[in-house]
Amino acid sequence: MTDDVSAILDVKALSGGYGRVPILHGIGFSVAENEVVGILGHNGMGKTTLLKTLMGFLAPASGTVRFHGTDVTRMPPNQRAGLGIGYVPQGRGIFPQLSVRDNLRFAWHAYSGGPEEDVLDKVLEDFPRLHRLLDRDGGALSGGEQQLLSLARCLMGDPDFLLLDEPTEGIQPSIIEEMAETLLQLKKTRGLSILLVEQNFDFIADLSDRVLVLERGRITGELNRHELSDQTKVNQFLGLGAARATRGPGERGSRHSTDPGPIRGPEAVASASIAHPHSPPQDIRPSTVTAMTVKRPTLAQMREMANRFGMSLSDAELQEYSQIIEPYMQAYDRLDAMPDNLPEVRYPRSPGHFPAPSENPLNAWYVKTEVRGAPDGPLRGKKIALKDTICLAGVPMMNGSSIMEGYTPEIDATIVTRLLDAGAVISGKAHCENFCLSGGSHTNAKGPVHNPWKHGYMAGGSSSGSAVLVATGEVDMAIAGDQGGSIRLPASCCGVYGMKATHGLVPYTGAMPIEQTIDHLGPVTRTVADNALLLEVLAGEDGLDPRQYKPRTYRYTEALGRGAQGLRIGVLKEGFAHPNSESDVDQKVLQAADRFRELGARVEDVSIPEHHMAMDAWTAITLEGLQDGMMWGHSTGSNYRGLFLPSMTDHMAQWRNRADELSHSLKACMFVGEHFQTQYRGRFYGKGQNLMRRANERYLAALQNYDVLLMPTMPVKPQEIPPADCSISLYVQRAFEMVANTAPFNGGLPAMSLPCGLIEGLPIGMMLVGPHYGEMKIYQAAHAFEQSGDWRTG
């Protein structure tokens, strides 16, 4: 914009987002009178957030917005509309049950510049297509007609400045062309200025006097009108290949074309790509509505990849390969343009709020919210906290790490939907350990989580907040996750019940993973009955989780009240007297075993030497698996079918540029995992899986003679939280010193921690282990023990 043209909109240093979740970072630009400015960017770059902030639906954290010289930064949306700002939201936002006429009438205001009928007639002159649709319900219109209605409705307020949010989304090419012509005419006849955010390059280039590029909440560049007509300049500037468009390549630059030509389906396009891999790109370009293309590798990037592969290729050969792979790059173009196939979010909610220290004294909460589910069901009215690895759509998630802070998922995890369908109320997200790599509760980026029984002591990890919130009664139940004991360890430390069910019984879909073969989700509760009830709701196949292999489910509440008479319990010798075991912990658990004898159970010692070997196998599986999948695979990895969440992958990838922010415990794991993956080619990961299978065979052989195995959940009492300036060695020691009994059963067998006594005012947990899908016997034994007396006085 030239200095001699007055600005209708002036934005300076604008930052903001959703609550304390930053999305926009110091954005500044101006829009002149009668100017169209386009903002181009991929999904997730902050385009919609920017428009909502400019319209006043989101409050900025800093910066200013001036309209016609008036500071509107803190002005509500209705006042901005009265000044002349019109907003057409993404998704159109029409009233589907109102007629087109009533949709338009609803948007008339006293500031609309004339009587309602006059304004309506004037708008219909600009949108003749809507004349014949006036009495039709908005929901009966096509997508393109709804978009035209949304734009017409905005003009009922007689704005002189329009904010348009992706108006071409899901619209056929002929309507897009009509919309472009209409907007250009409105700019001419009404003197409108327009701020347009889009992914469709042809549309934004046809309309815009200049285009700003938005990447991750920042304006990273600008193209003027002359540069927009230079395709080479566009491709070079954006770092993209051939820019995709509404029109085919022969039509580029033809603003008035209304014949989109034949639309080819994705199957035909894919077939063409594979059948003719060396064809020129234009031969297989689909004439469908598309958005920005993916970036093509530069020659330098091709060279770098070839060097990594150990290939000796000349520049000419690399350039030829660039041409060869172009059809396949276009497959990615088309993927990028398509809407993703993600689960529907069924229940309304707000983003919640970050609690102040006064309402979060143990630092157990990350976000507090209230998402209400069905009006009835087995969990009706039950307040539930989710471990902050579990996706709750629209609510922030950070997995204990500053790397993930600022991420908000757009889906509900499978178990969240099941909870809400069962009538539960999601009360918020519970703090967990930094990327879940700690059995202590001292690694969260927001500070340590404190034991509810003794402040300054470990609450256990990694599901630290989940157990604390249940123990304090702030929620009725919680969901935790477990890769090496992270359900059972905090349950033990906080004196509650935590079940890590058989691997795959509870779908992990929509939760942030560490390693697929050890990932578990499960219930944490104050009673065995609640635990069994919650597992009934959670368990079962969802068709999206590769960890599941035809799980067998039961009515777990039917195990309650059966007593311990006749139960066969094997006290695992190798679960006691570890090098770091505390004798009073061992003794407390052995006393609990004696109580089972008093209840009529047959209690015997059993030895399984492979228990120690299983710990070593788990170490290789976990450290190499997390490095391959969680770190280099950005918590997604590949080689499996299931639900993928690209937004989580993108956010997790930031660790590569922010590795210093990772916790000491994760860094230690990464060094080991990377060494053995690179120097030993992953052979120990494979051997660890083989030996874990042998350990499970030994456990199962013993479980043919016993219903459950019994041992301490942790070999030690909850330890003091180390000071913030402690040595790295102490930090890491406190993260992993307690997993010797829990980690071996992340090979797949179900295991539950139940409180069995207090030592020095801190709870002690006893762990019961069963065969695959043996949760019924575990619940039977746990309930019998619970009902035999108050564990606090035992």
Side-chain angles (χ1 to χ4, degrees):
M1 187 186 76
T2 58
D3 293 336
D4 58 347
V5 179
S6 60
I8 188 171
L9 181 77
D10 188 24
V11 180
K12 291 184 178 178
L14 188 68
S15 297
Y18 297 88
R20 290 169 56 187
V21 180
I23 303 294
L24 308 176
H25 307 281
I27 286 180
F29 64 92
S30 296
V31 180
E33 291 186 8
N34 204 221
E35 183 185 32
V36 179
V37 175
I39 295 185
L40 195 63
H42 290 289
N43 285 330
M45 295 296 107
K47 303 188 303 297
T48 295
T49 304
L50 174 59
L51 291 198
K52 286 184 175 180
T53 304
L54 294 177
M55 194 63 205
F57 292 110
L58 296 174
S62 60
T64 59
V65 179
R66 301 185 73 85
F67 182 66
H68 282 305
T70 299
D71 189 342
V72 300
T73 309
R74 303 296 170 185
M75 192 176 288
N78 63 310
Q79 292 184 20
R80 299 188 199 209
L83 290 178
I85 302 178
Y87 175 50
V88 180
Q90 185 179 22
R92 298 143 200 163
I94 65 166
F95 297 102
Q97 295 179 329
L98 295 183
S99 68
V100 169
R101 186 189 308 275
D102 287 341
N103 264 279
L104 294 172
R105 292 182 61 213
F106 193 81
W108 180 86
H109 293 278
Y111 52 73
S112 294
E116 179 182 311
E117 289 300 323
D118 292 349
V119 174
L120 179 61
D121 289 342
K122 182 180 178 183
V123 168
L124 289 174
E125 288 177 8
D126 294 322
F127 294 88
R129 179 189 285 260
L130 296 180
H131 265 292
R132 61 182 177 82
L133 303 173
L134 283 174
D135 296 320
R136 187 177 298 181
D137 287 348
L141 305 182
S142 69
E145 291 168 340
Q146 289 183 5
Q147 188 64 63
L148 291 175
L149 173 58
S150 181
L151 181 56
R153 188 182 62 176
C154 178
L155 293 181
M156 287 293 295
D158 193 32
D160 57 1
F161 181 74
L162 293 185
L163 300 171
L164 301 183
D165 193 352
E166 299 215 33
T168 71
E169 185 177 47
I171 307 302
Q172 65 181 3
S174 60
I175 296 291
I176 293 176
E177 295 285 349
E178 178 181 341
M179 189 181 306
E181 295 286 352
T182 299
L183 288 170
L184 288 171
Q185 184 66 21
L186 290 172
K187 176 189 175 187
K188 179 179 178 181
T189 59
R190 293 186 177 228
L192 286 176
S193 301
I194 301 173
L195 182 64
L196 166 70
V197 302
E198 258 298 343
Q199 292 187 72
N200 187 310
F201 181 78
D202 272 348
F203 185 78
I204 204 168
D206 280 352
L207 286 174
S208 302
D209 297 296
R210 54 195 175 94
V211 171
L212 308 176
V213 180
L214 185 67
E215 292 190 81
R216 299 196 179 279
R218 293 179 171 86
I219 301 294
T220 58
E222 179 176 330
L223 291 163
N224 61 35
R225 164 54 62 187
H226 175 72
E227 292 168 328
L228 286 171
S229 63
D230 183 345
Q231 192 63 58
T232 302
K233 178 70 173 177
V234 170
N235 295 341
Q236 178 184 3
F237 182 83
L238 297 180
L240 308 173
R244 295 184 294 156
T246 302
R247 299 180 294 277
E251 300 172 282
R252 186 170 303 283
S254 177
R255 180 179 298 169
H256 301 285
S257 173
T258 57
D259 180 8
I263 298 177
R264 303 171 62 185
E267 294 85 357
V269 172
S271 175
S273 299
I274 295 171
H276 307 287
H278 301 290
S279 301
Q282 62 267 26
D283 291 342
I284 61 171
R285 283 175 64 89
S287 299
T288 54
V289 179
T290 54
M292 293 176 64
T293 58
V294 298
K295 293 182 180 181
R296 269 53 173 177
T298 64
L299 181 61
Q301 290 169 331
M302 292 288 287
R303 166 66 58 200
E304 182 184 353
M305 287 190 284
N307 290 339
R308 287 205 305 270
F309 299 153
M311 298 175 180
S312 299
L313 298 172
S314 67
D315 284 354
E317 289 171 320
L318 290 173
Q319 289 173 337
E320 184 173 0
Y321 274 111
S322 296
Q323 296 173 355
I324 290 170
I325 67 175
E326 175 58 24
Y328 308 114
M329 301 301 291
Q330 293 182 22
Y332 280 85
D333 289 343
R334 294 186 289 275
L335 278 176
D336 190 43
M338 298 175 194
D340 209 337
N341 181 28
L342 298 176
E344 176 189 6
V345 177
R346 301 181 187 173
Y347 297 93
R349 76 284 311 275
S350 69
H353 71 281
F354 298 103
S358 60
E359 57 177 328
N360 195 21
L362 300 178
N363 198 34
W365 288 108
Y366 173 46
V367 181
K368 297 184 78 170
T369 186
E370 184 177 277
V371 183
R372 292 193 169 272
D376 202 0
L379 299 180
R380 182 177 61 185
K382 294 283 189 181
K383 295 180 179 180
I384 296 182
L386 303 175
K387 183 177 184 178
D388 192 38
T389 55
I390 299 167
C391 289
L392 181 62
V395 178
M397 183 174 94
M398 66 176 285
N399 195 359
S401 171
S402 59
I403 304 294
M404 289 301 294
E405 189 173 10
Y407 174 62
T408 300
E410 65 269 39
I411 67 165
D412 284 340
T414 294
I415 61 165
V416 170
T417 301
R418 289 181 178 178
L419 292 168
L420 294 171
D421 285 346
V425 178
I426 306 299
S427 296
K429 308 292 292 294
H431 267 320
C432 63
E433 297 311 294
N434 202 312
F435 283 128
C436 297
L437 262 295
S438 175
S441 64
H442 59 302
T443 70
N444 187 287
K446 298 292 187 181
V449 179
H450 293 268
N451 193 297
W453 291 80
K454 187 179 287 190
H455 199 276
Y457 281 74
M458 295 289 192
S462 62
S463 310
S464 43
S466 295
V468 169
L469 294 172
V470 171
T472 58
E474 293 191 60
V475 295
D476 301 303
M477 304 168 167
I479 306 298
D482 195 314
Q483 282 83 16
S486 293
I487 294 173
R488 294 156 288 159
L489 297 172
S492 177
C493 288
C494 296
V496 293
Y497 296 86
M499 168 67 86
K500 182 203 73 66
T502 303
H503 186 248
L505 179 61
V506 177
Y508 204 86
T509 306
M512 199 164 178
I514 289 181
E515 207 280 341
Q516 282 191 27
T517 66
I518 61 172
D519 291 331
H520 300 75
L521 294 175
V524 174
T525 59
R526 282 193 298 280
T527 68
V528 176
D530 275 354
N531 207 281
L533 174 64
L534 186 49
L535 186 61
E536 285 184 2
V537 171
L538 300 175
E541 195 167 14
D542 74 345
L544 296 171
D545 185 2
R547 300 163 187 80
Q548 295 192 294
Y549 19 84
K550 304 297 181 185
R552 301 196 301 270
T553 61
Y554 299 92
R555 292 292 300 273
Y556 303 108
T557 52
E558 293 180 359
L560 307 176
R562 294 183 179 180
Q565 185 70 39
L567 278 176
R568 302 167 300 163
I569 298 176
V571 179
L572 182 63
K573 175 185 175 184
E574 286 76 15
F576 297 80
H578 293 283
N580 68 328
S581 287
E582 295 177 332
S583 59
D584 51 355
V585 172
D586 282 354
Q587 189 60 38
K588 181 65 70 175
V589 175
L590 289 173
Q591 290 172 4
D594 287 339
R595 191 190 298 184
F596 274 115
R597 289 190 180 94
E598 296 168 2
L599 295 172
R602 191 185 83 193
V603 181
E604 300 173 350
D605 292 342
V606 60
S607 176
I608 307 176
E610 288 80 5
H611 184 63
H612 299 307
M613 177 266 287
M615 179 65 205
D616 294 335
W618 173 87
T619 298
I621 293 167
T622 302
L623 303 194
E624 294 187 50
L626 76 86
Q627 185 67 359
D628 190 35
M630 186 173 88
M631 304 312 295
W632 296 127
H634 306 142
S635 281
T636 299
S638 58
N639 289 291
Y640 64 93
R641 293 187 180 94
L643 178 69
F644 291 77
L645 193 54
S647 62
M648 180 186 293
T649 304
D650 286 343
H651 207 99
M652 178 62 183
Q654 295 181 83
W655 79 264
R656 294 183 182 230
N657 298 317
R658 300 169 59 185
D660 287 342
E661 298 175 43
L662 301 173
S663 69
H664 297 315
S665 50
L666 176 53
K667 288 175 182 174
C669 293
M670 290 173 65
F671 280 123
V672 177
E674 184 73 1
H675 175 75
F676 282 97
Q677 280 282 304
T678 56
Q679 298 301 312
Y680 291 89
R681 302 161 297 282
R683 69 186 304 273
F684 285 105
Y685 175 89
K687 189 171 185 179
Q689 291 284 11
N690 291 338
L691 292 177
M692 183 63 84
R693 193 168 64 250
R694 178 191 294 174
N696 276 341
E697 291 169 356
R698 299 297 188 268
Y699 292 133
L700 291 171
L703 286 164
Q704 290 182 347
N705 299 316
Y706 300 102
D707 295 307
V708 295
L709 303 176
L710 180 153
M711 69 207 79
T713 305
M714 294 169 46
V716 296
K717 296 182 288 292
Q719 302 294 297
E720 284 191 78
I721 294 172
D725 60 351
C726 72
S727 68
I728 297 175
S729 297
L730 179 59
Y731 182 105
V732 176
Q733 176 188 336
R734 288 286 178 264
F736 299 123
E737 63 189 349
M738 70 296 286
V739 303
N741 281 342
T742 54
F745 299 106
N746 282 83
L749 298 182
M752 182 180 189
S753 179
L754 52 153
C756 66
L758 290 168
I759 299 177
E760 299 175 7
L762 290 164
I764 303 299
M766 167 176 60
M767 187 165 65
L768 302 179
V769 178
H772 292 119
Y773 306 111
E775 288 80 7
M776 291 288 282
K777 287 295 184 182
I778 294 176
Y779 279 133
Q780 179 183 347
H783 190 251
F785 185 86
E786 177 191 37
Q787 298 301 302
S788 68
D790 189 342
W791 64 268
R792 300 170 188 81
T793 59

